[in-house]
């Protein structure tokens, strides 16, 4: 019995590590170690919730709900996932990583309860969504990026025209107030790049625009 429980904890950590490895390869906020710990912790909570009070359940006046501790993992993951979400000037980043942590917790609970096949299947499905669907999205929809410029206000229309000429689809455009000392303002633009657009070449072209001081691509 003890060996089986130890196996559940190790398997939950390993499955969580597979998802965390994919996130770390993408340089996301939560990587390998975070996902391994979430998987291990979730499995341990499930084991405690399911088996941890067997020594007192024999008493006639005691009744316990075996799902009470495991249910709190779902709520607790909301706080941990919120820590990976970055809100910067009305732009939200990290939702996929937060969802990955949530799924990792679910995998840990499933494996901790002894349903190995479901946990392995859930891990494989999550990896398919994260990797294969990402490639499908890039192929048919394009790659979503955020461009952050430091530039002079008169250069804003020049940048937007340059993006249009390179067949880059633009989304939300946010323009911050001009700095009184430098005369520069910050512009954030959501763009979708087709497969034929090379980000490095686009970066060089945009930096050559008169008045553009710096450019970050996220």
């Amino acid at each position: 019995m003890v060996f089986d429980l130890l196996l559940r904890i190790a398997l939950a950590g390993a499955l969580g590590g597979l998802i965390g490895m994919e996130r770390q390869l993408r340089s996301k906020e939560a990587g390998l170690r975070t996902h391994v710990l979430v998987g291990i912790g979730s499995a341990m909570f499930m084991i405690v919730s399911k088996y941890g009070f067997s020594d007192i359940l024999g008493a006639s006046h005691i009744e316990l709900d075996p799902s009470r501790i495991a249910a709190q993992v779902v709520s607790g993951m909301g706080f941990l996932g919120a820590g990976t979400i970055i809100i910067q000037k009305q732009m939200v980043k990290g939702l996929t990583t937060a969802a990955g942590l949530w799924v990792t917790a679910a995998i840990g609970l499933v494996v901790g309860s002894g349903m190995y096949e479901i946990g392995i299947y859930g891990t494989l499905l999550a990896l398919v969504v994260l990797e294969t669907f990402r490639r499908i999205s890039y192929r048919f929809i394009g790659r979503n990026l955020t461009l952050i410029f430091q530039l002079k206000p008169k250069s804003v229309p020049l940048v937007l025209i340059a993006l249009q000429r390179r067949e880059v689809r633009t989304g939300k455009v946010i323009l911050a107030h001009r700095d009184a000392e430098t005369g520069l303002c910050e512009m954030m633009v959501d763009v979708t790049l087709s497969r034929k657009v090379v980000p490095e070449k686009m970066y060089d072209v945009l930096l050559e625009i008169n008045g553009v001081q710096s450019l970050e691509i996220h």
Side-chain angles (χ1 to χ4, degrees), residues 177-196:
H177 295 294
R178 181 170 58 180
D179 188 283
E181 296 182 2
T182 64
L184 300 176
C185 62
E186 183 179 83
M187 181 173 69
M188 303 179 68
V189 186
D190 284 337
V191 299
T192 302
L193 307 184
S194 62
R195 293 184 63 196
K196 62 182 180 181

Side-chain angles (χ1 to χ4, degrees), residues 19 28 56 66-67 84 101 124 212:
I19 299 176
K28 300 304 180 180
I56 62 173
S67 67
T84 67
L101 286 172
L124 294 176
V212 176

